[in-house]
Amino acid sequence: MRHDAVTPGDRFVLAHGFTQTARSWSGFGRLLQQHRPGAEIRAIDLPGHGDAPPPADSDLWTSADRLVAAGGHGCYVGYSMGGRVSLHAALRHPDSVRALVLIGATAGIDDDAERADRREADERLADRIESVGVEEFLDEWMRNPLFAGLSDEQAQRDDRLRNTAAGLAASLRATGTGTQEPLWGRLGEITMPVLVLAGEHDSKFRAIGERMADSIPHATFHMIPAAGHSVHLEQPEATVDVIVGWSAVRSTSRR
């Protein structure tokens, strides 16, 4: 489906997931431009990934500051870790984040004990990355059931191998879900339009996504059929179509 051209100056800022880089959005970004002619696509390397330095003495708030400094004003599209960073950006920089798309993201872990357990697990995983190196770690990481729906091509292994063990470990320690401050109590502060996406087969993040959409004043939840956690990789055409249809309605409502 082809949609009307965007208004001048529209920009999509794309924030990738853990172990990915800005290049992971290449195919998706091309599709987005085909369906939304005239839009600017700006994919950003998050700290510890791609060409970005490790997040020394950083956290999700600092990562959000860096994302907005690189992305500028626009519609922010964040996947998984990138979704969590984009959520922080929306709270800290509402004038820059004009609209927000969250893919397989969370507002954090509510329970203190569960969050502490996750923090310990993230620390062990960071140690594991440093111990075995990126290649062996990726073999283990991509066997996670979250990624069962990805083909070899969609998994983008070569791009993930561009990352370093030090960068990934530092990212996990600084911005992992275990260290994330729960933001559920602040979602009502978000005033820009928000689209929350999750895959049909990703039951955990479907439930989280529905809860986030219910908690954000101007949010819409949409399930992508025949997809797991990585809807933009597993079903890129369907995901682009939903985002562009939603953003076209949003653009029309602003006029």
Side-chain angles (χ1 to χ4, degrees):
M1 183 183 297
R2 183 82 171 230
H3 295 272
D4 293 336
V6 294
T7 55
D10 274 7
R11 173 187 296 156
F12 290 92
V13 181
L14 311 180
H16 60 80
F18 181 61
T19 78
Q20 296 181 311
T21 77
R23 294 184 189 177
S24 69
W25 291 103
S26 296
F28 186 85
R30 285 193 295 270
L31 275 177
L32 197 51
Q33 277 194 316
Q34 289 170 12
H35 286 251
R36 198 77 169 163
E40 178 187 355
I41 308 298
R42 185 173 292 187
I44 309 297
D45 279 328
L46 295 177
H49 294 75
D51 297 323
D57 298 323
S58 183
D59 58 13
L60 282 160
W61 294 111
T62 306
S63 295
D65 293 342
R66 292 173 178 170
L67 175 62
V68 171
H73 295 82
C75 174
Y76 279 64
V77 182
Y79 161 63
S80 198
M81 178 189 73
R84 294 186 293 110
V85 175
S86 297
L87 182 59
H88 284 72
L91 285 165
R92 177 100 93 178
H93 303 281
D95 290 339
S96 293
V97 182
R98 302 291 180 82
L100 179 64
V101 180
L102 300 173
I103 302 174
T106 180
I109 300 173
D110 294 289
D111 184 81
D112 291 343
E114 184 181 347
R115 190 167 63 256
D117 288 344
R118 178 58 182 268
R119 187 162 54 249
E120 291 179 7
D122 286 347
E123 180 62 36
R124 290 194 299 270
L125 190 57
D127 290 343
R128 177 68 177 167
I129 299 170
E130 292 171 329
S131 173
V132 303
V134 174
E135 188 166 359
E136 185 172 340
F137 166 70
L138 284 177
D139 289 339
E140 300 170 357
W141 179 250
M142 297 309 294
R143 286 197 290 267
N144 189 313
L146 282 177
F147 310 121
L150 293 174
S151 67
D152 288 345
E153 180 180 2
Q154 292 167 340
Q156 303 173 330
R157 178 181 172 82
D158 286 347
D159 180 58
R160 296 176 195 263
L161 283 171
R162 296 176 53 236
N163 294 310
T164 66
L168 292 181
S171 172
L172 194 56
R173 291 183 177 117
T175 63
T177 310
T179 64
Q180 178 178 351
E181 169 194 354
L183 298 177
W184 293 102
R186 296 193 59 188
L187 295 184
E189 301 173 23
I190 297 175
T191 58
M192 73 282 295
V194 178
L195 174 64
V196 183
L197 300 178
E200 177 184 7
H201 305 310
D202 189 5
S203 58
K204 174 182 176 180
F205 282 91
R206 276 178 60 191
I208 291 172
E210 289 172 347
R211 181 185 173 193
M212 284 199 295
D214 287 343
S215 303
I216 298 171
H218 306 290
T220 300
F221 175 80
H222 193 97
M223 181 193 74
I224 303 295
H229 188 59
S230 310
V231 301
H232 63 302
L233 298 179
E234 298 175 48
Q235 298 293 340
E237 288 275 4
T239 303
V240 164
D241 200 53
V242 170
I243 292 173
V244 171
W246 168 79
S247 62
V249 170
R250 179 178 58 83
S251 295
T252 300
S253 68
R254 291 202 309 260
R255 294 175 187 144

